[in-house]
Amino acid sequence: MDDEPIAGEASAATASAGAAEEAEASSATGQARAADPWSDPRLPWEGKPRRVDIACWAAITLSGLYYLVILPFRASLVGTHPVLLVLLNGSTEGIVSAAAFARVGHGSLVVVLLAAIPGLMKFDLIYWWAGRLWGERIVHLFAGGRERQRRRSQKFVARVNRWGRWFTWPAIIIAPFLPIPSAIVYAIAGWTGMSWVTFLILDAIGSLSWAGMLAGLGYALGQHAVSVAQTVSKYGLWVSIAIVILVIAGQMRSVRPQR
């Protein structure tokens, strides 16, 4: 009977020693990460980046800056040069407005759809490339910090793992219609090994489908949409200022909880 307390004490001592070893290992890992300047969860690669990593990351950053530069001009172009807006940005309002102008005799739907292809697809191959380089890490980074969006992306990744290309291929086509950022879908295509030729073909089909739907809406609205677009362009400066303020406020609001 005296052996039981002794055995219990030995077991407790062993567990305590194991916990201490784990704590030391965890501390050592944390110190190693702190010592490594490249150990940053906000970066999609592990360790020191390669040249290709830097090039892809720079391309993603420049694509974001491009949209910020174009942002102030969207309101003024939507009612004056909507086709140019479609070519530069592939924006929803640009496609609707350009198709409405075509309805009243200014331009044609064919030109609108042709302009929409590069307008919508111009950076998509970069996101595919990021998925090919960094896999699931970049998918989670694209999902951002919003809980709902992160859950949706995780469900999407789980379905891709279960069904493979039978899910990924149609997902590329319907990406513009999905409630998650298209960049996540395109990165998953690169991660799962889809060739860039196949990706571009599927992406073109999806982009034309999206542009066709918006162009049909604008063509049906006709003069009503033209009048709205011209009014927006008339006050384009003030609309652009309001858009910039909203974007800055949204960014500040998203950063505040992280502090």
Side-chain angles (χ1 to χ4, degrees):
M1 294 180 63
D2 293 339
D3 292 341
E4 292 182 1
I6 297 175
E9 292 176 1
S11 177
T14 303
S16 177
E21 291 178 358
E22 290 181 1
E24 291 178 0
S26 177
S27 176
T29 302
Q31 292 176 359
R33 289 179 178 177
D36 185 2
W38 299 110
S39 181
D40 192 334
R42 295 171 296 180
L43 298 175
W45 56 77
E46 294 183 357
K48 188 175 181 179
R50 303 162 296 175
R51 290 183 179 179
V52 68
D53 295 325
I54 296 175
C56 187
W57 193 246
I60 294 173
T61 303
L62 290 175
S63 68
L65 293 176
Y66 174 86
Y67 283 117
L68 289 178
V69 171
I70 292 295
L71 185 61
F73 303 99
R74 290 174 62 170
S76 59
L77 290 175
V78 71
T80 56
H81 301 84
V83 175
L84 177 60
L85 178 60
V86 173
L87 183 63
L88 291 176
N89 195 40
S91 62
T92 298
E93 70 274 14
I95 297 173
V96 172
S97 177
F101 272 86
R103 171 70 182 272
V104 298
H106 299 282
S108 69
L109 284 178
V110 174
V111 174
V112 174
L113 293 176
L114 289 177
I117 296 175
L120 291 169
M121 295 177 56
K122 56 186 173 296
F123 298 129
D124 294 353
L125 195 61
I126 296 176
Y127 307 136
W128 169 91
W129 185 25
R132 177 60 65 90
L133 288 176
W134 303 313
E136 192 171 354
R137 291 173 64 93
I138 192 62
V139 173
H140 293 314
L141 284 178
F142 282 156
R146 295 181 180 179
E147 184 65 27
R148 179 181 298 179
Q149 188 167 289
R150 188 164 59 247
R151 287 200 303 266
R152 287 175 176 173
S153 66
Q154 288 172 350
K155 290 180 181 178
F156 192 88
V157 170
R159 289 171 183 169
V160 170
N161 289 330
R162 286 198 306 267
W163 299 330
R165 69 177 184 178
W166 301 110
F167 182 81
T168 308
W169 285 36
I172 299 298
I173 297 176
I174 65 173
F177 303 88
L178 294 175
I180 62 175
S182 296
I184 294 176
V185 183
Y186 303 150
I188 287 176
W191 170 35
T192 55
M194 180 182 293
S195 70
W196 66 270
V197 176
T198 302
F199 170 75
L200 288 179
I201 292 173
L202 296 175
D203 190 20
I205 295 173
S207 298
L208 279 175
S209 300
W210 176 250
M213 183 194 72
L214 296 177
L217 174 61
Y219 196 83
L221 292 173
Q223 185 60 48
H224 297 290
V226 171
S227 300
V228 172
Q230 290 175 338
T231 302
V232 170
S233 291
K234 183 178 179 180
Y235 301 99
L237 175 61
W238 300 108
V239 173
S240 299
I241 293 174
I243 292 174
V244 172
I245 291 174
L246 289 174
V247 170
I248 294 175
Q251 292 295 325
M252 293 177 64
R253 186 177 179 183
S254 63
V255 170
R256 188 179 301 167
Q258 296 177 2
R259 293 180 180 177

